[in-house]
Amino acid sequence: MRKKIVAGNWKMNTLPAEGVELAKGVVAGRGEVCSCVNFIVCPPFTHLAMVAEALKGSDIELGAQNCAAEAKGAYTGEVAASMIAALGCKYVILGHSERRQYYGETSATLNKKMEQAYANGLTPIYCVGENLDEREAGKHFDVVKAQIEEVVYNLSEEQFKNLVIAYEPVWAIGTGKTATADQAQEIHAYIRKVLAEKFGAAAAECPILYGGSCKPANAAEIFAKEDVDGGLIGGAALKAEDFLAIGKGFQK
Ligand code: PGA
């Protein structure tokens, strides 16, 4: 049985005190959702210590949105994987399309970040996904395949057992346009096949999340698909009520 995961990517939103309130709201309503759902919140770096405190005593896990490619040293403005792990993070989002697009993150950088994450006991949530031009040109399969081959294929079998993949079509992120449940299933099944080519049967255990305008109104239909194991949620994760309602979308 694969893990069911609903992860909130807060991006660069909320002030620290607002983030604490949001986390408390998630904790307060968590009991209404099946305990089979694993909730993760990923606030900005500045909020991690305070949010960790707010999550204490609950089963909601903490993640960061990024980490440095280096272990430590003279890298002004960077935050090391060891630092976020020390604050209680269990997860780190890596390779989000906004990092690839606006901050020039390449597979070479992401390989180093993945190593840092594993070296510090973190589970990466590795994001893949095509942009609109690539989808319209029918290249989406090749794009995600390359994003997996160039990074995930470098992991050891042991590391691969601690990996979450998020498929996020760039054209669906923050746009209100969601992939249809069938489109999500089609590419999730393909991703699993690409993973199986390298890691064999272990691919059946890897959670693959859908991301991109996922909300309470469409989560149930998407999560019902065989190869969709949950969601990476942006906008809708900023309201505790909506975030929890997405968790209720699990009926399988
Ligand atoms: P969205 O973002 O839910 O606001 O589309 C998802 C993401 O980028 O992780």
Side-chain angles (χ1 to χ4, degrees), residues 221-238:
E221 192 189 348
I222 298 172
F223 295 175
K225 293 292 176 183
E226 190 184 337
D227 287 290
V228 181
D229 306 306
L232 180 56
I233 319 298
L238 295 173

Side-chain angles (χ1 to χ4, degrees), residues 14-27:
T14 72
L15 293 174
E18 293 164 343
V20 167
E21 282 314 302
L22 175 55
K24 284 185 178 165
V26 177
V27 171

Side-chain angles (χ1 to χ4, degrees), residues 7-11 93 96-98 127 166 168-170 172-177 210-215 231-238 246:
N9 174 11
W10 296 3
K11 307 193 180 184
I93 299 171
H96 190 280
S97 63
E98 287 151 17
C127 304
E168 300 200 302
V170 178
I173 296 177
T175 57
K177 266 194 224 160
Y210 169 78
S213 299
C214 192
K215 48 186 183 264
L232 180 56
I233 319 298
L238 295 173
I246 288 172

Side-chain angles (χ1 to χ4, degrees), residues 7 36 91 99 116 133 138 173:
C36 60
Y91 294 86
R99 302 286 325 166
Q116 286 303 316
D133 289 348
I173 296 177

